[in-house]
Amino acid sequence: MSRLIIVSNRVAPISEGGPAAGGLAVGVYDALKETGGMWFGWSGDVLSSGQPQIKVEERGPVTFATIALMRRDYDQYYRGFSNATLWPAFHYRADLLHYDRHDFEGYCRVNAWLAQQLVPLLREEDVIWVHDYHLIPFAQALRAAGVKNRIGFFLHIPFPASQVLLAVPPHRELVEALCSFDLLGFQTAPDLRAFCDYIVNEANGTVDASSGGPLAIHAFGHTLHAAAYPIGVYPDEIAELAKAGERGKPVRTMKATLHSRKLIMSVDRLDYSKGLVERFRAFERLLEHATAQRNKVSFLQIAPPTRADLHAYQDIRLQLEGESGRINGRFAELDWTPILYIHKQYERSVLAALFRTAHVGYVTPLRDGMNLVAKEYVSAQDPENPGVLVLSRFAGAAQELDGALIVNPVDIDGMADALARALDMPLAERQARHRDMMAQLRENNVSVWRDNFMRDLQSASGATRTRGGRARAASGKKTAREVLVS
Ligand code: ADQ
C-alpha cells in the first residue's frame, strides 16, 4: 500500500482526545492513522536567527515532520502573500487585497524551500496530498526537484470567479502552478466551475467531462484532473459529544444565564469573511421589529481572534466590539444582555454541548469554503427537539444543507426574518429539516471526503501528465462552458 504524505501549512498539534481539532486536522489525521504516513509542514515557530531544522517525531503509524520559519519568510509567505493577498481575494474581498511583489517572491521561495526539505524524506511509492492556499506552488517545486510521485491538492477556501482572481497580479503564475498537481479538489461545484472558467477563458485551456469522473483539464502543457470533494464531519461522534456534555458545567452555566430565554449561537474565527458585523446588525433588526422577542432571546457569539498582526483583523475586531456595545447599550435590561460576545477557544466537547442547547445556529459568512460549524451545529442537535440552522448561501455547506433556512448575509432584513422564523418554527418542521440534514451529513462524512479524494488521486496516474506543448482537447470533449451549462 502507498504511504500517504500530508503537507499543510501548519501541522495541527494533535493529541488523542485533545481539544479543538478542526475538520482538516481530524480528517487528515484519521487518514494517516489508517494508511500510516507522514504529516509535513510548519511547526508554528518563527526564528529571528539561526537555521531551521526539521524535527521528526513518530507517534504510532504517523510521522510528524515539522520545521520553523525564519521571520522574513513568515512575514512574506504567511502574513503577506497568503493572508494579505490570497485570503481576501479568494473570499471576494478585492477591496482588502494588499499586494507586494516581494511577498510573492517570498511565497514562492518558501514553497521551494519547504519542498526541498521534504524531498529527502520521500519514497518512491509515496502519494502526496497538499492542503490549501499557502502551498499552491508546492507541486511545481517538487517537480523541479525531480519528484515523480502522485501529488494532489485540496483547496479549503473558495476558488474565486475569474474577474476577482484577475485582481491578484500573479494570477496566471498561480493557476499554472496549480496545473502541476495531478488532482485538484475543491469544496463545491461552483468553485470547480470558477476554476474551469479561468482555464478556458483566461488560460486558453480545455476541460474534458467525458469520463463521468473528475474533469480532465488540459492547460499550460499539463493534463490533470479536478473535482469537487465537499469536506464533512463525523456527525454521530459530534452528537455523542454533545449529548455527553448536556449536563456539564458549561451548559448548566449557560442555562442559568439564559433564565429560559432562547439562544441563538455562532462560533467563528474572528475573520472579516465570516460576516459578523452584518450578523450583529440582523440580530439588532430582529429586536427592533419583533418586539415580542426582546428579553426572550440572547445571542452568543464565540469568536477567538486570529491573524491579529494584520490590520484588516484589528479593524474587524474593533468594529465588532463597537457593534456589540452599541446594540447591548440600546436594548439591554438590568436582567438581560442581548449579545454575549466571547473571544475564547473552547474544547470541541464544550462547543458541541452548547450547540445542542442553542435554538438557532446562526452561520452567515460572506464567503466560506465549506464552514464546518454549520455541520457541527446540525450534528449536535437533539433529534427529538432540534434547533434550526440559519445559513448563508455563500457558505459551501449551503450546497448540501437544504434543510437550513438559507439567507443572503448582506440582506439584514432577510436575516432578521429568518431568525424570527427559526425561533418560532414548529417542532415537526424542525425535526423533518434536521432528519434530512443528518442523512446528508452521514452520507458525506469526513471519511467519504478523504476516501473519494484518495481514490481519484490513486487513479489520476502520473502517466496522464504531458510534457512539452499544450495538450488540446480531442473532439467530442466538453469545454468548461459546456460543463457550466450542462
Ligand atoms: P475555517 O475558516 O477555520 O476553516 P470552519 O470550517 O468553520 O472555518 O472551521 C473552524 C473549526 O474550528 C470548526 O471545527 C470549529 O468548531 C472550530 N472552532 C472555531 N472557533 C472555535 C473556538 N472558539 N473554540 C474551539 N473551536 C473552534 C477553513 C475554511 C473553511 C473550511 C475549513 C475546512 O475557511 O471554509 O470549511 O477550512 O475545510
Side-chain angles (χ1 to χ4, degrees), residues 6-227:
I6 298 286
V7 184
S8 64
N9 168 58
R10 269 302 295 277
V11 173
I14 287 233
S15 56
E16 294 286 345
L24 162 69
V26 173
V28 157
Y29 186 54
D30 277 3
L32 280 171
K33 276 196 302 188
E34 274 168 31
T35 57
M38 182 191 294
W39 193 342
F40 172 83
W42 176 34
S43 62
D45 298 323
V46 179
L47 302 185
S48 302
S49 61
Q51 181 72 35
Q53 301 291 336
I54 290 200
K55 189 172 143 209
V56 178
E57 204 185 326
E58 310 273 346
R59 276 195 240 160
V62 183
T63 305
F64 291 86
T66 55
I67 190 159
L69 289 177
M70 296 306 293
R71 167 67 50 193
R72 185 173 77 123
D73 292 342
Y74 169 83
D75 285 340
Q76 294 183 332
Y77 149 81
Y78 179 74
R79 213 172 138 259
F81 194 71
S82 294
N83 285 324
T85 308
L86 291 180
W87 179 272
F90 279 42
H91 288 85
Y92 289 75
R93 292 300 301 268
D95 58 317
L96 295 177
L97 183 160
H98 168 86
Y99 178 69
D100 180 329
R101 183 183 294 173
H102 300 105
D103 286 351
F104 180 57
E105 287 163 6
Y107 175 80
C108 296
R109 181 183 70 244
V110 171
N111 267 270
W113 174 74
L114 286 170
Q116 282 156 15
Q117 303 303 309
L118 179 62
V119 169
L121 307 176
L122 291 176
R123 298 180 199 147
E124 208 173 301
E125 78 279 8
D126 288 344
V127 173
I128 304 166
W129 187 5
V130 179
H131 290 262
D132 232 359
Y133 60 102
H134 315 84
L135 298 169
I136 288 172
F138 202 78
Q140 210 172 34
L142 284 177
R143 297 283 178 236
V147 171
K148 301 261 187 306
N149 304 51
R150 261 163 291 180
I151 315 176
F153 177 82
F154 185 78
L155 183 67
H156 288 260
I157 65 176
F159 192 89
S162 295
Q163 288 304 310
V164 179
L165 184 57
L166 292 175
V168 179
H171 55 87
R172 194 175 170 83
E173 288 88 333
L174 290 168
V175 177
E176 181 169 4
L178 280 174
C179 290
S180 287
F181 287 94
D182 295 307
L183 176 67
L184 298 179
F186 299 94
Q187 295 273 25
T188 65
D191 298 312
L192 177 64
R193 285 201 293 266
F195 177 74
C196 292
D197 180 59
Y198 186 101
I199 289 294
V200 171
N201 294 311
E202 304 296 334
N204 201 23
T206 59
V207 177
D208 172 5
S210 59
S211 78
L215 302 176
I217 312 279
H218 309 273
F220 299 105
H222 296 281
T223 296
L224 60 146
H225 290 86

Side-chain angles (χ1 to χ4, degrees), residues 19-24 87 91 132-133 154-158 187 231 233 267-269 271 273-274 302-304 307 342-348 351 355 363 367-374 376 396 449:
L24 162 69
W87 179 272
H91 288 85
D132 232 359
Y133 60 102
F154 185 78
L155 183 67
H156 288 260
I157 65 176
Q187 295 273 25
I231 193 169
V233 294
V267 176
D268 309 80
R269 284 183 306 97
D271 193 296
S273 65
K274 302 290 183 183
I302 298 178
R307 304 172 195 166
I342 300 179
H343 276 173
K344 270 192 210 149
Q345 291 274 359
Y346 285 92
E347 299 215 348
R348 285 172 70 71
L351 283 185
F355 282 147
V363 184
R367 289 279 162 185
D368 220 325
M370 177 52 61
N371 197 299
L372 294 175
V373 171
E376 290 164 358
W449 166 73

Side-chain angles (χ1 to χ4, degrees), residues 373-392:
V373 171
K375 295 188 168 185
E376 290 164 358
Y377 174 77
V378 172
S379 306
Q381 296 311 298
D382 175 358
E384 301 301 317
N385 185 22
V388 180
L389 177 64
V390 172
L391 179 61
S392 162

